[in-house]
Amino acid sequence: MRAEHSVSPSVPPSPSGGPPSTDIPPLPTGPRARIRRRPLTWFFLLAFALSWLAWTPYVLSENGLAVWHFAFPGSGGASQLLGVLPGAYLGPITSAFVVTAATDGRPGLRVWLRRMGHWRVGWRWYAAVALSVPAVLTLSSVALAGRTPAWPSTAVLLAYVPGLVVQMVTTGLAEEPGWRDFAMPRMQRRHSPVVATLTVGVLWGLWHLPLYLSDWGGWPDVSWDLPLEFVVTTVAFSFVMTWVFNRTNESLPLAMLCHTSVNNFISIAWSGMFPSLSTRDITHAFLLSSVTAALVVIISTRGRLGLPSDSASFDATPVHH
């Protein structure tokens, strides 16, 4: 019998019956194709660009550099709510939605939204996160102050839970669907949990930098080491966030609670409990708490950060990066 020569399916035969064509079809072009090839890169670029663009009026206003002679209405948190929150919503959550829709379509959006609605985790997790975050911050502040804290007032106790709910639907919902829900699962498919957390933690911290040119960051009384300390803190705290996210089967509400419990405790309870400490001291307390907790989870999990043992850090299937 005469031997038959097989032709690779990737090289189509010539329509005229001649030798197989060696022409390689061109890669798809256009914005959607480019996003599909590098979804993480596009997510981070869009998150930074959209937020920083939206924050520009706030930074240039009298709430910041005073280049433009107008101020956002309200005082303290009210002006920050109007000046900062729109940029936060235009950054991580919007970028995650756009890139997910472009790369994975409706099925990908369903998975993304499913993690956002993954509330059904044991109540002990909610209690542990909601109580341990202020407890650890209190212990760190006690170490800095050298004295026991004052007992929170009745007004603080009554405002604490409503404040936490507000933080969940503002800061938590604006940021975490991007950093944790979108970025971390993709990063952990290609890198170890430690490398993935370091990357997201650094970018999460750097994303806040323009706000140090506004009253959000204490402008004009901002020294160069303050934003540096903040970035180091976000990196360390990201290890805690990754551990909570992984251990709860990627529950975004638990990750949001972990994040916003810090904001809520600092904004509502901390100054009354430690009147002798300055606002700069709380940044030190947050750094001390985050580094300590990060070392505990890294050492105790041997770098797995709660990622299940049957889940490989480097997935064998192709993944958009």
Side-chain angles (χ1 to χ4, degrees), residues 229-259:
E229 182 177 1
F230 179 80
V231 173
V232 174
T233 303
T234 60
V235 172
F237 190 61
S238 289
F239 283 95
V240 181
M241 298 279 288
T242 298
W243 179 78
V244 170
F245 186 65
N246 287 338
R247 284 286 284 115
T248 58
N249 193 26
E250 298 183 343
S251 170
L252 188 67
L254 258 298
M256 290 167 55
L257 181 62
C258 187
H259 177 174

Side-chain angles (χ1 to χ4, degrees), residues 194-268:
V194 170
V195 171
T197 301
L198 282 171
T199 304
V200 173
V202 169
L203 293 172
W204 181 32
L206 294 177
W207 174 76
H208 292 81
L209 288 187
L211 296 177
Y212 280 93
L213 300 175
S214 71
D215 53 11
W216 180 95
W219 182 264
D221 301 318
V222 178
S223 58
W224 66 269
D225 57 324
L226 184 59
L228 176 62
E229 182 177 1
F230 179 80
V231 173
V232 174
T233 303
T234 60
V235 172
F237 190 61
S238 289
F239 283 95
V240 181
M241 298 279 288
T242 298
W243 179 78
V244 170
F245 186 65
N246 287 338
R247 284 286 284 115
T248 58
N249 193 26
E250 298 183 343
S251 170
L252 188 67
L254 258 298
M256 290 167 55
L257 181 62
C258 187
H259 177 174
T260 57
S261 290
V262 175
N263 298 39
N264 193 53
F265 177 75
I266 292 174
S267 61
I268 292 181

Side-chain angles (χ1 to χ4, degrees), residues 100-286:
T100 301
T103 57
D104 302 318
R106 290 184 179 179
L109 286 174
R110 283 195 292 268
V111 173
W112 181 63
L113 291 170
R114 191 180 305 126
R115 281 193 293 263
M116 291 174 63
H118 182 24
W119 292 92
R120 303 187 71 174
V121 183
W123 66 267
R124 292 180 178 84
W125 271 105
Y126 288 99
V129 170
L131 296 175
S132 63
V133 170
V136 173
L137 286 169
T138 298
L139 291 174
S140 298
S141 301
V142 167
L144 292 175
R147 55 180 298 180
T148 58
W151 184 254
S153 66
T154 302
V156 167
L157 294 176
L158 291 175
Y160 195 83
V161 173
L164 189 58
V165 173
V166 171
Q167 289 281 355
M168 287 283 284
V169 298
T170 54
T171 302
L173 188 59
E175 296 188 34
E176 294 309 327
W179 307 124
R180 245 55 61 174
D181 194 358
F182 177 89
M184 280 307 301
R186 285 168 169 78
M187 290 291 296
Q188 288 188 124
R189 293 189 200 123
R190 297 295 297 266
H191 304 285
S192 71
V194 170
V195 171
T197 301
L198 282 171
T199 304
V200 173
V202 169
L203 293 172
W204 181 32
L206 294 177
W207 174 76
H208 292 81
L209 288 187
L211 296 177
Y212 280 93
L213 300 175
S214 71
D215 53 11
W216 180 95
W219 182 264
D221 301 318
V222 178
S223 58
W224 66 269
D225 57 324
L226 184 59
L228 176 62
E229 182 177 1
F230 179 80
V231 173
V232 174
T233 303
T234 60
V235 172
F237 190 61
S238 289
F239 283 95
V240 181
M241 298 279 288
T242 298
W243 179 78
V244 170
F245 186 65
N246 287 338
R247 284 286 284 115
T248 58
N249 193 26
E250 298 183 343
S251 170
L252 188 67
L254 258 298
M256 290 167 55
L257 181 62
C258 187
H259 177 174
T260 57
S261 290
V262 175
N263 298 39
N264 193 53
F265 177 75
I266 292 174
S267 61
I268 292 181
W270 185 83
S271 60
M273 295 173 65
F274 298 96
S276 64
L277 296 179
S278 67
T279 54
R280 185 63 191 270
D281 289 320
I282 186 55
T283 64
H284 300 329
F286 188 22

